Amino acid sequence: MPTLEGSVESIVFRNEDNHYTVARFRLNDRGRLFRDDLTTIVGALPGIHVGELLTVEGEWENDPRYGRQLHVASFTQRLPASTDGIIRYLSSGLIKGIGPKKAQLIVNHFGEQTLAIIEQQPERLSEVRGIGAKDRDQIIKTWAEQSEIKELHLFLQSHEVSINVATRVYKQYGKESISVIRENPYQLAQDVHGIGFRTADDIAIKLGLPSDSLPRLLSGLKYVLTQAANEDGHCFLLERDLVRRAADILQAPQATVLAAIEQSRNDPEIFIEPAPVDTQEVELAQDDDDEVAIPAQRIYYGPFWYGESGSARLLKRLMQSESCLPPAPQQLWENVFSQLKQRRNMHLTEKQQTAVKMAYGQKVCILTGGPGTGKSTSLRALLLLLRKRKIDVALAAPTGRAAKRLTEATGTQGTELQAKTLHRLLEYAPHDNSYQRNEHNPLPHQFVIVDEFSMVDILLFYHLLKALPSESHLLLVGDADQLPSVGPGNVLRDLLKSEAIPTVRLTELFRQAQQSKIIVNAHRINSGHMPSMKIEATSDFFFMAEEDPIRAQQLILDLVQRRLPARYRFHSQTDIQVLAPMYKGPVGVSILNQKLQERLNPDAAAQIEWGDKLFRVGDKVMQTRNNYDKGVFNGDVGWIRRINRDDSTLNVEFLEDAGPLLVSYDFHELDELVLAYAVTVHKSQGSEYPAVVLPLFREHRMLLQRNLLYTAITRAKRFCVLVGQPYALELAVHNDRVALRNTGLLERLLLLCQGGTKTLV
């Protein structure tokens, strides 16, 4: 990276929220022929002012509008030393009310010592004629604020924290930034996106915190438990696993980690429980030359413990409470089903009728089944009855996409009963990371229906249960054979295994569904049979064999760009979604996104390079983490509508349950977005696409599982094509091992609901 030294001559543009700055820069290059030439520097440049001396490092770029400029990656500041530089610095707008005249008065009095006096003896400003008490106080206040910003950035840059991340730190903590970091640098990993435990740990060690200090070890344990939840879906870790992971990450002896776990019993955010009897073995772990005994205990990070224990407790309370619904005699049901058949042409099977009656008669119940088995028809029938009896009902789903599908499936478009996301239903408040609907302010509804429940993790389920009045009803609808939630837990599977919740499982494929090879083959795969490979001109399901991943990549690109649009009239960008099991490799998400962007959106009106990413107007993008301030969540897909270099922002349009949502991103927030021409199967949950293209290869072996293949195929609404090796397809179909997650909800339900309501149908 080129490094330049010089002075700031003028500030062309500054965004006070994200510190994106465009400045004119005079180089200190005395060998230049034209010394008056100015260079443009751009980037996150917090706290810089006219007259300051800078050393900047970055990359040259050619902006179509502004020409050649240096995009700054890092910089260091030095205060001006000459009297002319000091005058320009003080009158640059740095201090409100101080212009060139007053700056000249101060410098005439103190000369080259002006800035040192402001820094060390600001009370001496009273000596200057023409500088009143108000001016003096304003200078002292502004100088202190600027010093805080500069000190923070110098401090974090010395620890190799980027300017963009440092900007986030200041935005999070403001003038308290340095004190927060010094008191507990590990707070950064919890509060600031872009700073992980390892960066915080590096800062802590450089600050002199001993590697075996209890604050470091406890923060490390919480980090490992959180990482296990976010990456593996675990609600807890067995002590032996926690010791191994923490010892590796913290580079500490296992005995030291064990001692920290024992100390954590006094920490209100860590919970330790004995493991069930069948895992009560005591394991001997090797620690240098000593063997360390590690008892079998479950270690929880607080939120997940409360989520599990609270969910079980609240479920029991809900199930045992009185219902608010009026009774429904048998004669009523006969009339209802007869009228549905005659007036609505809705022919409910015996199991569907059982599902509707069960949902009305039980406080909590589950409706599960694969595609084409009639879950939506059952819901429509139930909703007709509830609305006829004037029962207040709410429809919800985990994501905006799933909520939109639920609204369409139940025929509630244009009514007050349109489905909402669970976050919207529970009135999530981003400013304090809380739900406004809770046990103190419950939902007003008598009946709540949640669709796509396999996507709901333990934390969201707990918050839903807290918000339900004890007299209300809850119906959970989902497909237990799909992938589990992205977040921690395996809630739907645990509820079904416990047999504590009345459940109806729909299995019969309706005649219309039998016409779809997508649905038929999804059910074949789910039962462990290979999909039908018979080629029919009218088929909506194809397998295209290709052994070479590079040739498969070209085939996928051709299918998306040319073949499917030409043959089936699909739109390349809006109708076709490429799904892949993994990110890496020639048929992984990363390279496919790059290649598809080149093919489908090569000539955009504007583009921005940020890190290793290239975004263009018109690109399809996905949000990669929950951002409650913006109201967008992990997995939400949208389209880039505008890139504005003037104010360093990018606008993305998302389709939410309440309609289109235009979200603005500062450039330093672009690490929250990725291209979404291709996405992982996990990220596709809750979505439905007109056409799906799915590569399957041996290099995906670690993730080739039946529930992943089943989930991918059932995302396709009208067309599905698999591209890859027959062996990889066979491997996925026959691999029914579900990645195990550490959850205790099943045991808690069994303990609380012994002798439960085993009414599986």
Side-chain angles (χ1 to χ4, degrees):
M1 283 188 179
T3 300
L4 306 178
E5 291 188 356
S7 60
V8 180
E9 291 298 303
S10 64
I11 304 292
V12 178
F13 170 80
R14 190 201 310 269
N15 184 317
E16 296 296 344
D17 291 330
N18 58 28
H19 303 301
Y20 182 83
T21 305
V22 179
R24 299 289 281 162
F25 192 62
R26 186 181 301 280
L27 296 174
N28 289 346
D29 185 354
R30 302 194 180 279
R32 289 169 62 92
L33 182 60
F34 301 103
R35 295 182 184 175
D36 290 336
D37 285 354
L38 298 179
T39 299
T40 300
I41 59 173
V42 301
L45 300 169
I48 72 161
H49 293 277
V50 170
E52 277 190 313
L53 306 177
L54 298 184
T55 301
V56 297
E57 185 178 21
E59 296 286 353
W60 290 107
E61 61 181 22
N62 284 306
D63 185 271
R65 188 169 169 186
Y66 299 110
R68 191 167 185 256
Q69 57 191 25
L70 187 79
H71 195 109
V72 177
S74 65
F75 70 96
T76 55
Q77 297 163 279
R78 299 190 308 281
L79 293 175
S82 69
T83 55
D84 286 345
I86 295 171
I87 291 171
R88 285 192 299 124
Y89 179 63
L90 291 178
S91 62
S92 65
L94 168 69
I95 302 167
K96 185 178 179 181
I98 303 297
K101 288 184 179 180
K102 289 184 179 180
Q104 183 78 56
L105 290 173
I106 296 171
V107 174
N108 286 346
H109 189 82
F110 294 117
E112 294 180 353
Q113 298 301 310
T114 297
L115 298 183
I117 287 171
I118 293 175
E119 173 75 31
Q120 300 167 22
Q121 300 173 288
E123 69 280 357
R124 289 190 60 192
L125 288 167
S126 300
E127 301 173 9
V128 183
R129 284 189 176 184
I131 301 297
K134 185 178 179 181
D135 290 332
R136 181 197 63 203
D137 293 343
Q138 186 65 47
I139 292 171
I140 292 172
K141 178 185 175 184
T142 304
W143 193 266
E145 291 174 350
Q146 292 298 318
S147 297
E148 288 164 359
I149 295 173
K150 289 173 183 175
E151 184 185 359
L152 171 65
H153 283 272
L154 287 171
F155 173 73
L156 290 177
Q157 282 186 46
S158 70
H159 295 87
E160 299 180 352
V161 177
S162 73
I163 298 172
N164 292 324
V165 174
T167 299
R168 286 203 193 101
V169 173
Y170 192 78
K171 196 171 183 180
Q172 178 76 27
Y173 304 120
K175 65 180 182 179
E176 304 297 327
S177 297
I178 293 290
S179 60
V180 168
I181 295 170
R182 291 191 183 280
E183 183 177 338
N184 182 11
Y186 298 103
Q187 193 73 26
L188 295 173
Q190 296 181 36
D191 297 342
V192 184
H193 180 63
I195 294 186
F197 172 80
R198 294 180 188 276
T199 301
D201 192 40
D202 180 57
I203 293 172
I205 291 173
K206 289 181 179 178
L207 285 173
L209 195 67
S211 61
D212 61 350
S213 70
L214 188 59
R216 176 177 186 261
L217 295 172
L218 288 179
S219 295
L221 292 176
K222 294 172 188 177
Y223 167 73
V224 172
L225 291 170
T226 303
Q227 188 184 49
N230 293 337
E231 295 182 1
D232 305 313
H234 295 317
C235 290
F236 66 84
L237 284 178
L238 287 172
E239 188 165 11
R240 59 173 180 262
D241 297 325
L242 176 59
V243 168
R244 288 168 181 159
R245 292 190 187 201
D248 179 58
I249 287 174
L250 296 171
Q251 293 297 292
Q254 291 191 359
T256 301
V257 175
L258 269 173
I261 291 175
E262 191 59 32
Q263 289 288 319
S264 74
R265 292 180 184 276
N266 299 320
D267 191 308
E269 292 186 315
I270 293 181
F271 291 81
I272 302 177
E273 293 183 343
V277 176
D278 59 351
T279 58
Q280 281 280 353
E281 74 277 4
V282 174
E283 186 163 314
L284 295 178
Q286 200 71 30
D287 181 30
D288 297 330
D289 297 326
D290 301 321
E291 287 186 334
V292 180
I294 304 177
Q297 300 185 106
R298 291 177 171 180
I299 317 293
Y300 282 86
Y301 187 38
F304 312 125
W305 185 87
Y306 284 113
E308 277 194 357
S309 59
S311 293
R313 172 177 53 81
L314 292 171
L315 263 178
K316 182 179 181 181
R317 186 200 70 171
L318 189 62
M319 294 173 67
Q320 294 180 346
S321 300
E322 293 293 326
S323 170
C324 62
L325 304 188
Q330 180 61 32
Q331 185 61 45
L332 172 66
W333 291 117
E334 292 176 4
N335 291 339
V336 166
F337 296 134
S338 175
Q339 289 180 19
L340 288 174
K341 185 175 181 179
Q342 293 172 10
R343 299 180 185 177
R344 304 272 183 168
N345 198 29
M346 293 174 66
H347 301 262
L348 269 64
T349 66
E350 186 175 333
K351 269 197 176 182
Q352 287 177 309
Q353 292 182 21
T354 301
V356 174
K357 292 160 76 173
M358 178 192 69
Y360 191 91
Q362 298 286 344
K363 290 295 300 305
V364 183
C365 58
I366 299 172
L367 175 61
T368 186
T373 57
K375 296 194 299 295
S376 296
T377 301
S378 303
L379 282 182
R380 284 199 298 272
L382 175 63
L383 286 172
L384 286 169
L385 172 64
L386 294 175
R387 297 174 74 180
K388 184 176 182 180
R389 306 201 89 186
K390 294 183 169 48
I391 292 166
D392 189 343
V393 60
L395 295 174
T399 67
R401 296 160 292 159
K404 185 173 182 292
R405 287 181 58 198
L406 177 59
T407 297
E408 293 169 350
T410 53
T412 53
Q413 300 103 312
T415 73
E416 295 181 358
L417 195 55
Q418 293 189 63
K420 299 178 179 180
T421 60
L422 280 167
H423 284 88
R424 190 182 296 274
L425 178 72
L426 299 177
E427 298 177 18
Y428 182 80
H431 64 277
D432 61 356
N433 191 28
S434 67
Y435 294 90
Q436 300 306 298
R437 292 292 181 178
N438 50 44
E439 58 268 52
H440 306 298
N441 180 31
L443 291 165
H445 310 294
Q446 298 168 281
F447 207 115
V448 175
I449 299 172
V450 181
D451 196 20
E452 292 286 358
F453 188 70
S454 63
M455 297 176 63
V456 175
D457 64 34
I458 190 64
L459 300 181
L460 189 53
F461 186 48
Y462 177 45
H463 286 294
L464 170 64
L465 291 173
K466 285 203 292 183
L468 283 174
S470 59
E471 67 275 8
S472 64
H473 283 233
L474 177 63
L475 173 60
L476 307 174
V477 184
D479 187 346
D481 295 316
Q482 290 188 22
L483 290 168
S485 59
V486 174
N490 209 340
V491 181
L492 180 56
R493 284 178 179 264
D494 285 348
L495 292 177
L496 291 171
K497 282 183 182 178
S498 75
E499 300 187 356
I501 312 296
T503 301
V504 170
R505 184 185 292 271
L506 301 177
T507 56
E508 180 183 346
L509 272 184
F510 283 83
R511 183 180 302 173
Q512 184 177 356
Q514 292 175 8
Q515 308 304 311
S516 168
K517 294 299 182 185
I518 293 173
I519 294 177
V520 170
N521 282 327
H523 284 270
R524 286 183 59 82
I525 289 167
N526 201 32
S527 61
H529 297 99
M530 289 289 287
S532 171
M533 301 296 192
K534 185 178 180 182
I535 299 177
E536 299 174 3
T538 58
S539 179
D540 57 4
F541 182 95
F542 290 92
F543 179 80
M544 303 181 73
E546 177 54 71
E547 291 291 332
D548 182 66
I550 300 297
R551 288 198 298 268
Q553 178 195 99
Q554 296 304 309
L555 175 56
I556 290 169
L557 298 177
D558 193 41
L559 282 166
V560 175
Q561 184 185 26
R562 186 180 63 86
R563 291 198 198 183
L564 296 183
R567 177 72 182 272
Y568 300 99
R569 300 291 185 265
F570 290 124
H571 190 285
S572 294
Q573 295 198 49
T574 58
D575 292 339
I576 305 171
Q577 183 63 59
V578 178
L579 304 180
M582 296 178 70
Y583 283 97
K584 297 180 180 179
V587 285
V589 166
S590 299
I591 291 180
L592 285 174
N593 263 320
Q594 179 186 330
K595 299 291 185 183
L596 285 165
Q597 184 192 45
E598 292 172 1
R599 291 279 191 106
L600 303 180
N601 193 25
D603 301 312
Q607 66 180 41
I608 175 70
E609 290 186 53
W610 196 259
D612 59 350
K613 299 176 182 178
L614 172 64
F615 293 115
R616 294 171 174 156
V617 170
D619 274 340
K620 185 179 184 181
V621 293
M622 175 179 282
Q623 174 77 13
T624 59
R625 74 178 187 95
N626 291 342
N627 188 321
Y628 299 106
D629 291 320
K630 296 184 184 299
V632 289
F633 303 95
N634 188 2
D636 285 351
V637 172
W639 301 88
I640 296 176
R641 298 305 185 199
R642 183 170 173 265
I643 296 174
N644 189 337
R645 286 182 174 273
D646 289 339
D647 63 2
S648 184
T649 59
L650 177 150
N651 292 341
V652 179
E653 183 182 350
F654 294 93
L655 186 60
E656 294 295 310
D657 55 306
L661 174 68
L662 195 65
V663 177
S664 178
Y665 291 81
D666 294 329
F667 282 177
H668 73 81
E669 297 175 312
L670 293 184
D671 57 350
E672 296 184 20
L673 295 174
V674 294
L675 293 176
Y677 298 103
V679 301
T680 62
V681 179
H682 284 81
K683 292 287 190 183
S684 73
Q685 286 178 269
S687 294
E688 192 174 65
Y689 313 102
V692 164
V693 178
L694 175 72
L696 291 172
F697 283 84
R698 291 184 185 90
E699 62 190 59
H700 301 153
R701 176 186 296 271
M702 294 296 293
L703 290 173
L704 288 180
Q705 297 167 346
R706 185 184 299 170
N707 62 346
L708 180 137
L709 179 58
Y710 173 75
T711 300
I713 291 173
T714 54
R715 299 309 91 204
K717 190 174 182 179
R718 290 159 47 198
F719 193 87
C720 180
V721 55
L722 311 183
V723 177
Q725 301 160 336
Y727 171 77
L729 173 61
E730 189 174 344
L731 184 65
V733 170
H734 296 305
N735 180 11
D736 63 348
R737 296 191 305 274
V738 177
L740 296 178
R741 292 184 168 195
N742 294 340
T743 73
L745 181 61
L746 174 60
E747 288 93 335
R748 296 181 196 280
L749 288 169
L750 292 175
L751 285 172
L752 283 174
C753 307
Q754 286 178 347
T757 57
K758 184 177 178 180
T759 58
L760 294 173
V761 179

